[in-house]
Amino acid sequence: MSAPTTPEPTAPTTPSVLVHLPAELRARTGEQPSIMVASGDVRTIIAALDQAFPGLRFNLCAETGELRPFVNIFVDGRNVRFGSALDTSVAAGSVMHIIHSVAGG
Amino acid sequence: MASSDSTALRSGETVVLLGTKRGLFTVRSRDRVNWECAPTTLAGTRVYNAALDQRGGRRRIYAADNGDFFGTFLRYSDDFGQTWQEPERGIQFPEESGLKLENIWTIVPGRPSEPDVVYVGVDPASLWVSEDAGVTWSLNEGLAQHPTRKDWQPGAGGLCLHTIVPDYADPQRMWVGISAVGCVRTDDGGKTWQFKNKNTRAGFQPDIYPEYGQCLHRMIQHPTQTNTLYQQNHCGVYRSDDAGDNWTDIQRDLPSEFGFPIALDPGHPDTVFTIVEDEGRNNFGKQFTVYRTRDGGEQWESLTEGLPGGGNVRLGVLRHGMATDSHDPCGVYVGTNTGQLFASADGGESWHVAADFLPSIYSVNVAVIE
């Protein structure tokens, strides 16, 4: 067994993904309509949003972890539900939209 | 409508909280004749229930905020619905349980002797308890781990724990109602739970008297006879005088076995009100009617003065859609699925419209300001 090593300090990641939030969730973000976060995958971005705005994850995901059925997340215009869902990579410079399903007809 | 405002609340004033398909409303009166209806800022979501809790020096409204898109939350307000807070540790199932919160169905402040305790029932059927006036919540594991749980089947509204009756006399005893499971009682403070459905029908099953599987709709406790309970069931109206060990059908001459709400006059607790409906879940016949017994279910009478009738009248009242106040004579309040609140200030003898043109009403809860 090799000797324990001190982990390299993680370099701070520059927020580089623009996340647009629906009006219904802006009470949680202090009325900010959009937030800049670090790149990653959708899951880590939701975790970062929840850390900044506690409770936001439960708005988006059920206790079991999956995205709520009427919540859609688009990364650069593509709905992650039809791709890798929460594992979808979100590169620096991407734009992420959180939108609920259409209602009313 | 003006927005809800607590600043002018006066002792003795009657406050009705209306949970609706689109938000929470308050309806207030100082004389139970003239009413003022106002929205709270909890708007746009399905509010299945709300409660005004005046214990412990608070005047706190709890509300079940069931969102269509972004989740379900228990919220509370100390300024009569102007601003709302979320619990620090809310009602969320452990991830490993595999359960997901669907809707919050009922909110019941605990006994007077436990002013910080609040109970909540949800779908999927489970009981949640707060011991700090709603700030943090815990799942009752005794019921959640009930050995028969895997066999419980939902009713049309889901597998919902919609009724909680903490025994006012025995802090270890409580009854809950679950659709479609029935009445379940604990005698040891929630550690273990037993079914209490003997003689209540499940007419929609091959075995109409199962141990559990009944569709209990609403259950209340007599305020001075601790072992007496009443329930409106999918299949009948029942009374128990032994804490639910046995039930007696008291439907008598009521025109239908099916109904949702049941309430009693706290000052004259042998006086019980119910509403029964037809198969279409509207008023039975052409006259919208509240039914009253004044002898604990021996005889029922029809109350119709001031209530609408006619060939086009189709009113439905859900399980939390009727409540009584603590005045004498007792006030009775009925909220409909078409957005009317009917009120009676004389124990049901006569009725008037206290509020109208509201979203579909899910719940009616009444408090008299202390």
Side-chain angles (χ1 to χ4, degrees):
Chain A
M1 196 169 73
S2 58
T5 56
T6 303
E8 289 294 319
T10 306
T13 308
T14 305
S16 56
V17 173
L18 180 62
V19 180
H20 290 289
L21 294 153
E24 291 89 339
L25 296 182
R26 291 177 194 165
R28 196 165 308 271
T29 62
E31 299 304 326
Q32 296 179 75
S34 55
I35 310 290
M36 290 295 294
V37 298
S39 57
D41 58 27
V42 172
R43 192 187 315 277
T44 59
I45 287 175
I46 290 175
L49 289 170
D50 189 66
Q51 189 164 21
F53 308 106
L56 189 53
R57 180 178 182 272
F58 195 59
N59 288 124
L60 306 179
C61 299
E63 294 96 318
T64 45
E66 77 267 30
L67 207 55
R68 293 189 179 280
F70 299 120
V71 174
N72 292 310
I73 294 181
F74 293 80
V75 174
D76 295 329
R78 302 181 74 168
N79 189 334
V80 303
R81 195 180 295 282
F82 305 117
S84 300
L86 298 180
D87 295 324
T88 301
S89 294
V90 187
S94 289
V95 176
M96 185 166 133
H97 284 87
I98 298 173
I99 300 171
H100 67 66
S101 298
V102 68
Chain B
M1 283 187 290
S3 65
S4 184
D5 178 3
S6 67
T7 55
L9 283 171
R10 285 188 187 172
S11 177
E13 185 172 351
T14 303
V15 174
V16 184
L17 299 179
L18 296 181
T20 79
K21 187 176 181 178
R22 288 291 176 261
L24 177 69
F25 295 78
T26 62
V27 187
R28 299 166 50 181
S29 177
R30 293 174 183 167
D31 58 8
R32 296 190 295 166
V33 175
N34 300 291
W35 296 90
E36 180 184 338
C37 181
T40 69
T41 58
L42 195 59
T45 51
R46 295 171 291 115
V47 178
Y48 277 16
N49 209 331
L52 175 57
D53 186 1
Q54 301 185 85
R55 301 168 305 154
R58 300 180 191 88
R59 188 176 284 160
R60 176 166 288 183
I61 297 177
Y62 297 94
D65 182 7
N66 297 329
D68 290 325
F69 305 109
F70 294 115
T72 286
F73 296 86
L74 188 286
R75 302 189 193 280
Y76 55 89
S77 170
D78 291 328
D79 56 8
F80 208 57
Q82 294 300 297
T83 60
W84 295 88
Q85 299 177 64
E86 270 180 33
E88 290 175 9
R89 189 181 74 230
I91 296 173
Q92 297 181 23
F93 288 95
E95 183 174 353
E96 61 273 16
S97 73
L99 298 173
K100 296 182 280 189
L101 178 62
E102 298 292 341
N103 290 300
I104 296 173
W105 276 83
T106 190
I107 304 163
V108 177
R111 303 163 182 88
S113 59
E114 46 186 20
D116 293 336
V117 173
V118 185
Y119 300 100
V120 158
V122 311
D123 172 6
S126 56
L127 174 70
W128 294 76
V129 185
S130 172
E131 297 181 342
D132 51 14
V135 179
T136 61
W137 291 87
S138 300
L139 175 66
N140 177 275
E141 292 288 350
L143 189 62
Q145 303 299 328
H146 197 279
T148 66
R149 184 181 179 91
K150 66 182 190 320
D151 299 322
W152 295 358
Q153 295 294 316
L159 183 59
C160 51
L161 193 158
H162 51 68
T163 295
I164 300 169
V165 182
D167 185 353
Y168 65 85
D170 180 355
Q172 296 299 304
R173 190 164 71 170
M174 173 186 287
W175 300 264
V176 297
I178 302 172
S179 292
V181 175
C183 176
V184 198
R185 191 182 81 198
T186 180
D187 297 315
D188 56 12
K191 295 184 183 69
T192 60
W193 296 82
Q194 295 80 40
F195 296 116
K196 296 294 172 186
N197 297 302
K198 190 176 178 184
N199 301 331
T200 62
R201 292 187 302 277
F204 43 85
Q205 291 201 23
D207 174 6
I208 66 169
Y209 290 107
E211 181 187 14
Y212 62 94
Q214 282 82 348
C215 197
L216 186 156
H217 283 174
R218 191 84 175 96
M219 178 169 54
I220 54 177
Q221 184 183 24
H222 192 291
T224 58
Q225 299 172 21
T226 183
N227 287 330
T228 297
L229 302 163
Y230 299 96
Q231 67 162 281
Q232 174 68 62
N233 192 293
H234 192 109
C235 304
V237 186
Y238 298 92
R239 172 181 174 141
S240 173
D241 290 307
D242 54 11
D245 287 343
N246 296 277
W247 292 89
T248 301
D249 190 339
I250 57 168
Q251 180 184 335
R252 316 284 187 205
D253 53 349
L254 288 171
S256 169
E257 66 175 8
F258 182 91
F260 283 108
I262 193 163
L264 58 73
D265 178 347
H268 306 273
D270 289 334
T271 297
V272 180
F273 304 89
T274 190
I275 295 170
V276 294
E277 301 182 338
D278 65 13
E279 287 297 316
R281 302 195 172 189
N282 300 305
N283 43 278
F284 193 91
K286 295 179 180 178
Q287 173 65 50
F288 181 58
T289 303
V290 176
Y291 298 91
R292 179 179 68 188
T293 176
R294 291 196 275 196
D295 52 15
E298 293 295 325
Q299 299 178 76
W300 294 92
E301 56 187 322
S302 299
L303 307 173
T304 59
E305 186 181 329
L307 296 175
N312 298 327
V313 174
R314 301 281 190 280
L315 300 181
V317 179
L318 296 176
R319 72 179 82 245
H320 292 297
M322 180 165 63
T324 51
D325 68 28
S326 55
H327 293 292
D328 192 6
C330 165
V332 192
Y333 306 89
V334 173
T336 69
N337 60 356
T338 46
Q340 294 88 31
L341 176 68
F342 295 104
S344 169
D346 53 11
E349 290 295 322
S350 64
W351 298 82
H352 60 276
V353 176
D356 200 355
F357 309 115
L358 293 167
S360 184
I361 294 172
Y362 290 153
S363 68
V364 177
N365 288 273
V366 185
V368 177
I369 297 300
E370 296 174 352

